[in-house]
Amino acid sequence: MTQPPRLSDFLPTTKKECELRGWEQLDVILFSGDAYVDHPSFGAAVIGRVLEAHGYKVAIVPQPDWHGDYRDFKKLGKPRLLFGIAPGCMDSMVNKYTANKRLRAEDAYSPDGRHDCRPEYPTIVYSRILKQLYPDVPVALGGIEASLRRVTHYDYWQDKLMRCILCDAGADLIIYGMGEKATLQLCRELDSGKDITQTRHIPQTVYIANKEADIEGGIQECDILLHSHAECLRNKRAQAENFRHIEEQSNSIHAQRIIQPVDGRFVVVNAPYPPMTTEELDASFDLPYT
């Protein structure tokens, strides 16, 4: 007869569960907009298990309460390397509203289908809270919400063009798409003593450079320079031309780096890693999910 999983079989979600493993300080703390389901269809579980497999101490805080004293954001303390934000399997606004902008009957990824377990745009809400509480700890954004908002984008719910989500969230970088390789590389480099600003060469990441001189390697001939956010607000054709570049590069095996001026700064979208091999995907899905 199969034994039920023990508490220590899951990634820890509380201080007590960390103590069961003998951990005094975590390396990485992940904040998830979904309930914690330890299965490879949930991004937070995948990233947590991948980092765990490489020796990092990882915990997940599922659906933290963003009201009041922020106790859920404080309960596991300050991580040694970084905070990661995984807002959920589905874009939070699609998850909450129908195409007619009516509230959905239930939140499919919350206990009992409750609607009050996550805020709108949790990526922005969680990131701002963490930066307020721990301004010196790097915050990395992941998941569909940040990936789809890495440059100027149309927001259906507000019916307007929005800037790169980093501008509003205040986080340090985005890891877009399948995040296993980029997250592991980021942790390794931070673990070696590098500052978050010294990791801007990592593929499949997005960061904001305050001036052109801060762009890793400078603007090169092979880079794609998009129309600025301000130009997109003035000219719909500029946004359409930007979107064509983004779609083409998203579907290229050997993509180019994309740069967009925003409010006097530069959003830099590094080219992605090559697609994962069969062996790499199998290794990720064969981790000890419960």
Side-chain angles (χ1 to χ4, degrees), residues 201-260:
H201 58 281
I202 297 176
Q204 214 160 310
T205 60
V206 184
Y207 64 90
I208 294 181
N210 289 325
K211 53 184 184 294
E212 188 173 331
D214 293 336
I215 297 174
E216 182 79 17
I219 297 178
Q220 303 170 13
E221 284 188 17
C222 58
D223 293 333
I224 295 175
L225 190 62
L226 299 180
H227 296 291
S228 70
H229 177 70
E231 178 61 23
C232 290
L233 293 176
R234 288 193 297 268
N235 182 359
K236 290 182 180 180
R237 183 174 291 275
Q239 171 64 8
E241 290 174 357
N242 280 6
F243 191 75
R244 179 175 64 85
H245 284 304
I246 295 160
E247 280 299 295
E248 287 177 350
Q249 298 309 308
S250 295
N251 290 284
S252 297
I253 296 295
H254 303 289
Q256 295 166 261
R257 185 169 67 170
I258 293 173
I259 299 172
Q260 183 185 31

Side-chain angles (χ1 to χ4, degrees), residues 139-208:
V139 175
L141 311 180
I144 190 170
E145 193 161 83
S147 294
L148 292 178
R149 293 169 171 81
R150 54 187 186 265
V151 292
T152 297
H153 57 280
Y154 174 69
D155 187 284
Y156 174 76
W157 317 102
Q158 300 182 56
D159 191 26
K160 64 181 181 180
L161 289 183
M162 304 289 289
R163 306 176 295 178
C164 168
I165 196 170
L166 284 175
C167 298
D168 296 312
D172 295 279
L173 81 166
I174 296 169
I175 296 173
Y176 65 91
M178 298 285 282
E180 293 96 323
K181 289 185 176 181
T183 307
L184 183 58
Q185 184 65 24
L186 176 62
C187 288
R188 284 172 170 164
E189 301 211 6
L190 292 174
D191 204 10
S192 72
K194 288 185 179 180
D195 184 79
I196 190 68
T197 59
Q198 298 174 301
T199 64
R200 292 179 166 179
H201 58 281
I202 297 176
Q204 214 160 310
T205 60
V206 184
Y207 64 90
I208 294 181

Side-chain angles (χ1 to χ4, degrees), residues 63 85 104 142 208 230 252 278:
Q63 300 187 318
I85 295 177
R104 291 191 185 276
I208 294 181
S252 297
T278 300

Side-chain angles (χ1 to χ4, degrees), residues 16-160:
K16 182 177 286 187
E17 290 170 18
C18 292
E19 291 168 356
L20 281 175
R21 295 183 174 220
W23 294 354
E24 293 185 4
Q25 185 183 27
L26 293 155
D27 297 320
V28 177
I29 301 175
L30 304 174
F31 285 84
S32 172
D34 289 340
Y36 172 32
V37 179
D38 199 32
H39 186 275
S41 62
F42 288 77
V46 172
I47 296 302
R49 289 298 186 184
V50 167
L51 293 178
E52 178 191 50
H54 286 84
Y56 291 103
K57 298 173 183 175
V58 188
I60 293 180
V61 180
Q63 300 187 318
D65 185 357
W66 68 99
H67 306 93
D69 60 4
Y70 304 149
R71 68 182 64 186
D72 285 346
F73 293 87
K74 302 174 185 175
K75 68 180 182 180
L76 298 181
K78 180 177 174 179
R80 191 171 62 88
L81 300 178
L82 76 143
F83 290 112
I85 295 177
C89 286
M90 188 187 296
D91 183 276
S92 66
M93 300 302 285
V94 176
N95 186 55
K96 186 168 184 177
Y97 297 104
T98 68
N100 288 329
K101 300 184 180 179
R102 292 180 178 274
L103 193 66
R104 291 191 185 276
E106 63 176 21
D107 181 333
Y109 298 104
S110 294
D112 301 321
R114 288 168 51 187
H115 284 291
D116 59 348
C117 294
R118 79 177 93 211
E120 295 182 358
Y121 306 105
T123 297
I124 294 173
V125 175
Y126 296 169
S127 180
R128 286 178 174 176
I129 292 171
L130 290 170
K131 278 299 183 184
Q132 177 185 330
L133 296 174
Y134 307 99
D136 57 331
V137 179
V139 175
L141 311 180
I144 190 170
E145 193 161 83
S147 294
L148 292 178
R149 293 169 171 81
R150 54 187 186 265
V151 292
T152 297
H153 57 280
Y154 174 69
D155 187 284
Y156 174 76
W157 317 102
Q158 300 182 56
D159 191 26
K160 64 181 181 180

